Amino acid sequence: MADGRLFKPDKDYTKETDERITEAEELAKSNVPSAIEKLSLLEKQTRQASDLASTSRLLVAIVTISKNSGDWSLLNEQILLLSKKHGQLKQATTKMVQVAMSFIDEAPDTEKKLSLIETLRTVTEGKIFVEVERARVTRILSNMKKEQGDLNAAADILCELQVETFGSMERREKTEFILEQVGLCIEKGDWTQAGILSRKISTRYFARKPKRTPDEIEKERKEREEKEKNRGADDPPLEKEDDVTDLKLRYYEQQIMLAKHEDKYLDACKHYRQVLDTESVEENPEQLHAVLQRVIYYVLLSPHDNEQSDLLHRINIDTRNSLVPNEARLLKLFTIPELMRWPIVSETFGPHLCSNDVFSATKDKEDPKAHTRWKDLRKRVIEHNVRVIAKYYTRIQMHRLTQLLDLDEDETERYISELVTAKTVYAKIDRPARLVSFQKVRDADEVLNEWSASMKSLLGLLERIDHLITKEEMMARIQPKGNSAVEAH
């Protein structure tokens, strides 16, 4: 029993415990040390006899008497002393810590409250069987530091917990802890740490569950009861069927903040699409309208690549876009290979786009990135126009190109260079001739391979035609002669 493991009780001390606790409570009214000593003597006997129920009750009685006496230093002393007893039962220590935690809110002042919290953190340090209690106490301490305005200390205290490794903690509580850690890091401005911590949460936990029939619900309930019945004492608790919509929205709100800070527009769009796939958002017209707008805004702001193009076209066919007609029209312009003149786009859609917090035509003190996003939208329109021109032209004069893009020569060269570097288009600029060539020079092997493929296709068609002609001739030969005579008359 020296390591705290539970064995079969050698003796049942329930009767003696009842009597001793009653006597101690009466004695505590006049002499607290004597009452505690009286209980301590019996606690030693119950501990050595492995009587868990009696030991737990005695530990709780001792700390309760200490608290009721108003001597908080005595309470801290007894908690430390009882937890260090030789062969102390783990479950009894856990029960004592849980009861002592309930005393935190009853502390008369902040100093005594902090003293009790530090005592509990000392007692629970490095002990797996009270890891959940330690996490909860640490969370209380972190909240106190945050209320005092010491954000750095609050974040450091809470982030030292590795709650994802706690087997005895429920998944919902783990997620709440990690979300709180991420939130403190964001408030503190430690964006790198916030991103690292957020990856500890599996998004599968937020996956939307299909609607179930009453029979299926009843069947799952019976299966859970059976599993709970067969669960061992050391096995982790079964996960409860819980609505995690609040956690999902909170998680993706943080992810969107991280994506916006790093200007990862495509990630922000994906996060908004996950928010869109939430029942509470779909049933709220205002939230649905706002999220649909932001899904379209951020996919348009994303740099063009295969993934962005695929997502753009998938969003374009969403029937819910009819709820946001202006954004749907702008989105449609990006899906068709036609030029968009930025002055016209700015005049047509600018006032509407700048009426929300995503875009701003001028520098906004509240959100400097709003103006950056407006400039990025102009950049995406220009890049779209360059791709369209590259599709229709093999060569074009620089003067004509600047007219089509509504840019000067320097800006035109810069945008073409960026797209060539990103391997979105192929282009070469001949400055002396003032020509831009979009035609990729092919070597002899490529030309020969194309010719070979064309010839192969042509021969295949000829073979098919020959087969069909032969088939028709054979069908004509096997027709009955009688039919031919009738046809002749």
Side-chain angles (χ1 to χ4, degrees), residues 81 110 133 151 187 230 411 423 465 473:
L81 186 65
T110 305
E133 285 72 19
L151 201 60
E187 288 184 52
N230 298 329
E411 272 194 303
K423 297 185 178 179
I465 292 167
E473 288 177 347

Side-chain angles (χ1 to χ4, degrees), residues 33-64:
S34 298
I36 292 174
E37 186 179 355
K38 198 167 190 175
L39 292 175
S40 298
L41 291 172
L42 182 59
E43 184 272 333
K44 182 178 181 181
Q45 296 174 21
T46 58
R47 172 164 39 89
Q48 291 175 345
S50 300
D51 187 353
L52 173 62
S54 299
T55 306
S56 300
R57 291 178 60 200
L58 288 166
L59 293 183
V60 170
I62 291 171
V63 295
T64 304

